[in-house]
Amino acid sequence: MEETRNATYSNKEDRISRLPDALIHHILSFIDAKYAVQTSVLSKRWIHIWKSLSFLNFNRSSFSLQNTERFIEFVYMVFIFRDDTNIQKFSVDWENSAFDYTAIMNVNRWSLNAVKHEVQEISIVITQCHISAYEIPHHLLNCKSLRKLGMMMFSNARHADVILPRSMNLPRLKVLSITGLSISNEESSKRLFSSCPVLETLAIQNCDIQTYNGRKLIVDSVSVKKFAYTFLCRRRYPQNGTKENIVKLCAPNLKDFFCALLLKQDCSLEICFPLSRVSFHMILENLKDENAETYSKLPLGEKEVYAKRVMRFLEAVYMVKEMRLLSPGFLEVLSRAPDVVDCQPPRLCSLKYLTLTMWSTRSCMRAIVYLLSISPNVTKLFLKAKESCLADVGDEWETGLSFPGMLSHLEYVQIEVEGCDAELKLLCFLLKKAKFLKKVVLYFRSSVGSPDGVTQVEQFMDTLRLVPTASSSIQVVFKT
């Protein structure tokens, strides 16, 4: 029986080799070019397959640290021996290039070869390089076929200053991502964005934006629909980080804005047109160290400074329809806003959908109620509770924040819970205040899957069912 099975298996044909070239190319597009070229030893069928690959992925880590020259020779060899097939995507990932002083020069030459083959996507990642400035080659920013461009470059000591060519023309570019570079003046960024007439998605991450009179980034584009601005790298914080950073959005078709910052960074938004969705992700220093205990130990004065900063963000997006606060730290510092804001708080009257990530702390609870008090037209509320080990929130956490008519438009609540007392109190508050609430969906985290956790869930559910509700037609759905 076993011999028959082995014979049958050995007689089976090589079905992979019989696949059409296009499908094999698609399979090889997911691996490094080094391994794609190595398939040429499989059989005669595979000898020339790699020569017409339209996806070229070169990763320096596929060669040992001592073999920089072999890596460079390999990339040139691929370009020399491949045929004239157009390149859909060219990517090079050269990490740890501290002692490879020719990294920039070689990558620029390879990108020229890609441009000659009507490349559509280019991704360049170079880290730990010893450069103070990066002159982006003319051919790269004048590629007529390019649709997507990503450049990530980290110097050892500081941001690498971007030097742009005098003329730029990217008529088909739709996605642009810049990471780790320094834009030294306002005019440079304006010229870059104006050279991309159909740009739809823009991402600027951990870049040092400098202007003559401060630190100001102006995104002036008619076509941009999505924009992400991120600065979460504490060790690369600008030396003159005491200056206020200003991000000005002059993009009438911008729908989705994502902003991730350190709370210690003084940053302001200037938004000229209404947004459909905005997402804020703000932390103290390191995402791994983010916890409720850290915020509870913050000096009161420091927490109040941060509260004023996040309030400025809310004031800038007062016309937004959907808002997501992706870090509990935002709520922790926002809880101080009612006590430190001198003028009338902003009214988020256009806000319909609100998503919040929270800890089950008194500060987060108060911040949620405060947000709902200045957002009178919210119809859907999504809450994700993250585990917290702090003490009970008490019984007067909403004092002075709720008022008659609050939550008069809230219809749907979805919350991921652990089953703690603080979460129960928040739900009780919503059930008692929202007169038109139709549905509440509760997702219990996997951490409550133990026997004790099941008992805790059952007790949570039983208690919630006894809570009087302001709405006469409400459906509460429990999911585990």
Side-chain angles (χ1 to χ4, degrees):
M1 175 80 67
E2 186 66 26
E3 292 180 0
T4 303
R5 186 184 296 113
N6 291 336
T8 303
Y9 178 80
S10 63
N11 290 332
K12 285 187 176 180
E13 60 184 336
D14 181 2
R15 293 184 179 180
I16 295 180
S17 295
R18 294 190 62 182
L19 293 174
D21 285 4
L23 189 51
I24 294 178
H25 287 161
H26 178 72
I27 296 172
L28 295 180
S29 69
F30 296 99
I31 64 175
D32 187 272
K34 175 182 178 180
Y35 308 114
V37 172
Q38 287 177 347
T39 62
S40 62
V41 302
L42 296 177
S43 67
K44 291 182 179 180
R45 169 74 175 91
W46 291 81
I47 291 178
H48 301 292
I49 286 288
W50 66 271
K51 296 181 180 179
S52 53
L53 283 176
S54 58
F55 288 80
L56 297 179
N57 305 309
F58 299 103
N59 196 315
R60 173 65 182 84
S61 63
S62 62
F63 291 79
S64 66
L65 291 176
Q66 296 77 24
N67 283 335
T68 298
E69 292 186 2
R70 285 193 60 188
F71 171 67
I72 295 173
E73 291 172 358
F74 171 76
V75 179
Y76 280 114
M77 182 273 294
V78 170
F79 279 110
I80 290 172
F81 289 101
R82 73 184 308 276
D83 59 24
D84 292 329
T85 302
N86 285 342
I87 297 175
Q88 185 170 338
K89 181 179 180 180
F90 163 73
S91 69
V92 57
D93 191 336
W94 198 325
E95 296 184 7
N96 229 354
S97 63
F99 303 103
D100 302 329
Y101 296 99
T102 63
I104 300 295
M105 178 190 69
N106 283 295
V107 170
N108 285 347
R109 289 176 178 175
W110 299 336
S111 65
L112 175 58
N113 281 318
V115 168
K116 290 179 179 179
H117 287 85
E118 301 293 323
V119 65
Q120 295 184 32
E121 298 181 30
I122 291 181
S123 174
I124 297 173
V125 177
I126 302 177
T127 62
Q128 302 299 322
C129 51
H130 288 294
I131 60 169
S132 58
Y134 174 45
E135 184 173 357
I136 304 180
H138 179 273
H139 65 261
L140 193 58
L141 296 184
N142 285 274
C143 180
K144 303 297 189 295
S145 60
L146 198 59
R147 299 172 185 265
K148 185 176 181 179
L149 174 61
M151 293 181 291
M152 176 185 291
M153 191 166 300
F154 282 122
S155 171
N156 282 341
R158 55 187 293 269
H159 291 84
D161 291 328
V162 170
I163 301 175
L164 300 174
R166 292 184 178 180
S167 62
M168 294 176 284
N169 184 21
L170 297 164
R172 295 185 180 181
L173 192 71
K174 290 190 175 183
V175 180
L176 175 62
S177 176
I178 304 173
T179 304
L181 297 171
S182 173
I183 301 176
S184 59
N185 63 75
E186 201 172 295
E187 292 303 317
S188 294
S189 58
K190 285 184 177 180
R191 288 196 302 115
L192 177 59
F193 300 145
S194 63
S195 69
C196 312
V198 297
L199 185 65
E200 295 182 356
T201 301
L202 173 65
I204 297 180
Q205 305 169 70
N206 294 328
C207 288
D208 185 15
I209 310 300
Q210 303 177 35
T211 57
Y212 298 114
N213 56 354
R215 316 179 72 86
K216 190 169 186 177
L217 170 67
I218 299 178
V219 178
D220 190 351
S221 172
V222 176
S223 58
V224 169
K225 298 178 181 178
K226 295 182 179 181
F227 173 53
Y229 178 74
T230 303
F231 204 117
L232 294 177
C233 191
R234 177 64 182 171
R235 66 183 181 84
R236 300 188 60 77
Y237 199 70
Q239 293 181 356
N240 55 344
T242 55
K243 289 186 177 181
E244 181 185 12
N245 287 258
I246 300 174
V247 178
K248 184 175 182 179
L249 305 181
C250 303
N253 292 305
L254 182 64
K255 302 300 180 185
D256 195 341
F257 174 50
F258 172 82
C259 183
L261 293 171
L262 298 171
L263 282 166
K264 295 186 177 182
Q265 182 177 0
D266 190 6
C267 185
S268 294
L269 295 178
E270 296 180 12
I271 300 177
C272 303
F273 299 93
L275 295 172
S276 294
R277 183 169 72 173
V278 63
S279 304
F280 291 122
H281 181 69
M282 298 185 178
I283 62 175
L284 283 177
E285 291 191 24
N286 191 318
L287 188 59
K288 295 180 180 179
D289 299 330
E290 284 284 294
N291 55 64
E293 290 81 0
T294 301
Y295 282 86
S296 68
K297 296 175 182 178
L298 279 178
L300 187 60
E302 188 174 347
K303 202 169 184 177
E304 291 180 351
V305 169
Y306 299 155
K308 292 179 180 179
R309 289 179 182 174
V310 298
M311 283 299 293
R312 291 206 309 261
F313 282 93
L314 295 181
E315 290 170 358
V317 299
Y318 72 97
M319 292 185 289
V320 72
K321 295 180 180 179
E322 178 182 354
M323 182 164 64
R324 301 187 303 168
L325 303 183
L326 305 176
S327 52
F330 193 110
L331 294 177
E332 283 287 328
V333 299
L334 181 64
S335 65
R336 292 295 304 160
D339 301 317
V340 300
V341 177
D342 300 327
C343 58
Q344 188 72 15
R347 297 283 286 176
L348 307 177
C349 295
S350 298
L351 190 61
K352 301 290 186 181
Y353 312 106
L354 180 59
T355 301
L356 305 173
T357 302
M358 56 174 280
W359 286 309
S360 298
T361 63
R362 180 183 178 87
S363 294
C364 279
M365 302 271 277
R366 285 185 61 81
I368 291 171
V369 177
Y370 177 67
L371 266 176
L372 292 172
S373 71
I374 63 175
S375 310
N377 297 313
V378 168
T379 60
K380 292 186 177 183
L381 176 63
F382 303 87
L383 297 168
K384 182 177 181 180
K386 300 183 73 173
E387 187 174 358
S388 171
C389 300
L390 295 186
D392 184 73
V393 298
D395 295 322
E396 298 181 352
W397 48 271
E398 81 278 17
T399 302
L401 298 179
S402 59
F403 57 87
M406 184 178 176
L407 304 177
S408 58
H409 291 83
L410 187 63
E411 298 178 355
Y412 179 88
V413 173
Q414 178 179 305
I415 177 170
E416 180 183 328
V417 297
E418 183 183 6
C420 66
D421 183 64
E423 295 161 351
L424 181 61
K425 289 180 178 179
L426 178 59
L427 281 167
C428 290
F429 173 84
L430 296 174
L431 291 173
K432 293 177 180 179
K433 296 288 183 180
K435 294 182 178 180
F436 300 99
L437 189 59
K438 297 178 181 178
K439 189 173 183 178
V440 176
V441 180
L442 288 85
Y443 289 90
F444 287 91
R445 289 208 301 267
S446 57
S447 59
V448 297
S450 62
D452 291 339
V454 172
T455 302
Q456 183 181 1
V457 169
E458 292 174 348
Q459 293 174 349
F460 188 93
M461 293 163 58
D462 291 340
T463 304
L464 195 61
R465 290 190 183 100
L466 298 176
V467 175
T469 63
S471 174
S472 58
S473 57
I474 182 173
Q475 178 187 11
V476 180
V477 180
F478 300 95
K479 297 187 177 182
T480 56

